[in-house]
Amino acid sequence: MTTTATTSSRASPSAVQTAYESIFHNPDLTLSQLKDASIDGHLHAVLSRKPPAQSLASGFEVPGRSIAWKVFLIPQPPLTSASSPVSPSNVLAKARKDYVNLLKVKMRAPDGSYEAGFAVPGEDTPLRTTASRAASAGNWERNNPLSLDEENPWQDYFANVELRKTIAQDVERTFPEIPYFRQPAVQTALTTILFLHCLEHPSIGYRQGMHELLAPILYVVDYDSIAANPPGISSEVQEMCNRTWVAADAWLLFGLVMDAVREWYEWQEPPPQTASTAGPVQGNSWVAPIVKICGDIQGEYLKKVDPLLWQKLKEGGIEAQLYGIRWLRLLFSREFRIEDTLTLWDGIFSADPTMDIAKWICVTMLIRIRNELIPTDYSSQLTALLRYPPLPPQTQDPVIPHANLLLRQAMFIKLAPSPTAGVNVVMENRDALGIPAEVPEPQIRPRRLNTRTPPVRGGRPASAGVGGDLRRDVGGLQDLIANRLFDGTSAVFSTVSEIRKNLPDFNDISASLLKGTEPEPELNAFPYEVMSKKLSPRPTSEWTSPGTSSSL
């Protein structure tokens, strides 16, 4: 179908032409330099050929961004990193044909008809909206909407109609603050692309969160789209950014992203004969890959670079999947402003199309808010993780945008994860963002007496209950995400918080039980024993900055 939506202000064709020439016809720009600029958050400077401070009016609107994403996500020929990027025009042409063929097959009813108003991009002839005799001919007892035959094709058709309704319900809530996504044509395009993707990947189907991955991609492609035959625009640019193929190009890019993050959305236990290779197994029960990944982020990666923070989260009973699933599945789009998210995506797509770097971005995000996590209790920790604290307004333009600084730091600690690398990140946050390196003292809260029920003895029931459900029932995990985390409601942590307020102070109990025992050696590794109390002043020159801006 053709996307006929209008953005608030599309990029001018001349700006798109400039961006195209900057990428493909600039002898001084190599593919690796283009990627480095994107990692540092300066893609807009390269595309507009202006200094970073003068090139960006809004991070949400960057002319030529969709061209760069096509270069980053569509595999380039070998040995091109040291040369100029190669136009993926051949791949786009094939994908557009595949999209049209898929539309014609999957959107057609068993009687050969299509819904009224349905159109195929690139074709002017309207499709039949009434049943064809050829399709209707045959076994009428089996092929009719009222037949109860198990092989009745109408059963699958009606199931697909219900699937589209389910997708449309989520699409209607996509980025409600952005007028572009309120347009009927945009919502129809989003629904159709997600529907086609689900039919091509039945083992995963449609999961909540996919619509928030697709929506920015569709916007970026549509923002760069060019109407037919604009004056002064080369045929190459017209073909690359043809407005007729906005939905097809978005479908292609979304499919490439989903191929990379597929395991984040896997939720069904594989057949027994492939269970050992298709998904992580713990004991005799299968665990969804996303739960295993979140556990590794907090229990393995974070432990290596910030053992003190890891210990505090462990003591508080924080389970990584409660925040990690949303962070990863939505690729951080709920944690930052949309313009910051798109700038971060520029860097992620260029640095690692496999999206593995996103796991380490989660680690740097935890380190950035360590002052909100270490001295607080469970409910405050969970609140900070589910409502990621925004940065205070910055008085001057940063060398690297704060979201892309997370990416640079993630790339740094991934190379050599260690406590020293974690400290480098802490000190860089202090110098670049003004975040104090010294952890504040914990606030002592007055105890609340519970007059309704006696104190609960033993472990914390809320944590055990949530964790148990997530490990035993992956379907329950999906419902938790759908009904609590994705919708941004506070029912989960507010309920748990109320329970914890009525519990005795387990810190006092554990302190008395553990009195006299030796602390874990890794918690005394330099310099966390100093930082947990009071960070000793050290010359800035002693710290190695993990992120350096590349010269273009």
Side-chain angles (χ1 to χ4, degrees), residues 265-322:
Y265 284 91
E266 291 179 354
W267 60 280
Q268 297 186 88
E269 183 174 358
Q273 63 271 18
T274 60
S276 60
T277 58
V281 177
Q282 297 180 354
N284 296 324
S285 61
W286 182 82
V287 178
I290 184 63
V291 177
K292 173 68 165 53
I293 291 170
C294 291
D296 290 342
I297 289 172
Q298 181 173 304
E300 181 180 344
Y301 304 159
L302 180 64
K303 184 178 180 180
K304 290 180 179 179
V305 297
D306 196 336
L308 176 61
L309 176 56
W310 165 79
Q311 180 68 23
K312 293 300 182 180
L313 293 178
K314 180 182 177 182
E315 292 174 355
I318 293 294
E319 295 173 344
Q321 59 265 35
L322 291 178

Side-chain angles (χ1 to χ4, degrees), residues 53-74:
Q54 303 176 10
S55 61
L56 188 62
S58 170
F60 192 38
E61 299 175 346
V62 176
R65 171 176 270 153
S66 69
I67 302 175
W69 284 11
K70 291 170 184 176
V71 171
F72 297 149
L73 294 173
I74 298 175

Side-chain angles (χ1 to χ4, degrees), residues 44-184:
H44 53 86
V46 174
L47 299 180
S48 63
R49 297 186 178 182
K50 297 179 181 179
Q54 303 176 10
S55 61
L56 188 62
S58 170
F60 192 38
E61 299 175 346
V62 176
R65 171 176 270 153
S66 69
I67 302 175
W69 284 11
K70 291 170 184 176
V71 171
F72 297 149
L73 294 173
I74 298 175
Q76 288 276 301
L79 305 178
T80 58
S81 60
S83 60
S84 299
V86 177
S87 173
S89 55
N90 293 335
V91 177
L92 289 174
K94 182 181 182 302
R96 291 166 179 176
K97 292 180 180 179
D98 294 342
Y99 181 76
V100 169
N101 294 333
L102 196 62
L103 268 179
K104 290 181 176 180
V105 173
K106 300 301 183 180
M107 302 297 289
R108 183 176 59 227
D111 61 3
S113 65
Y114 294 89
E115 294 181 355
F118 179 77
V120 174
E123 297 185 4
D124 297 330
T125 304
L127 298 177
R128 181 188 298 272
T129 58
T130 58
S132 64
R133 294 183 179 181
S136 300
N139 190 344
W140 179 250
E141 294 181 357
R142 175 182 299 173
N143 186 5
N144 78 82
L146 301 180
S147 173
L148 300 180
D149 192 286
E150 293 181 356
E151 298 182 1
N152 181 9
W154 284 94
Q155 294 184 9
D156 291 338
Y157 177 77
F158 291 140
N160 289 340
V161 170
E162 292 302 316
L163 174 60
R164 294 185 65 189
K165 291 180 180 178
T166 300
I167 296 173
Q169 290 177 353
D170 286 342
V171 166
E172 290 175 357
R173 300 193 297 266
T174 302
F175 295 108
E177 71 280 7
I178 301 176
Y180 173 78
F181 297 109
R182 308 276 63 78
Q183 300 179 60

Side-chain angles (χ1 to χ4, degrees), residues 481-522:
I481 301 302
N483 298 326
R484 296 294 183 266
L485 302 186
F486 283 136
D487 288 340
T489 61
S490 59
V492 173
F493 52 84
S494 63
T495 302
V496 174
S497 175
E498 184 65 25
I499 295 176
R500 287 183 57 84
K501 290 176 182 177
N502 297 325
L503 295 178
D505 192 338
F506 282 93
N507 292 328
D508 296 339
I509 297 177
S510 60
S512 62
L513 292 176
L514 299 178
K515 185 176 181 181
T517 60
E518 293 294 331
E520 293 185 22
E522 62 183 336

Side-chain angles (χ1 to χ4, degrees), residues 408-482:
R408 271 293 187 188
Q409 293 170 342
M411 297 171 65
F412 171 72
I413 63 175
K414 181 182 179 182
L415 293 176
S418 66
T420 301
V423 171
N424 282 335
V425 173
V426 171
M427 302 307 293
E428 185 173 37
N429 288 337
R430 182 198 66 179
D431 297 337
L433 305 176
I435 299 175
E438 181 180 357
V439 178
E441 294 293 331
Q443 296 181 357
I444 300 178
R445 298 185 178 183
R447 295 197 180 191
R448 296 179 57 185
L449 297 178
N450 183 3
T451 59
R452 296 172 294 177
T453 57
V456 179
R457 302 294 180 183
R460 181 170 51 81
S463 175
V466 173
D469 291 342
L470 290 172
R471 292 183 176 87
R472 292 193 302 268
D473 184 4
V474 178
L477 170 65
Q478 305 302 323
D479 293 337
L480 176 64
I481 301 302

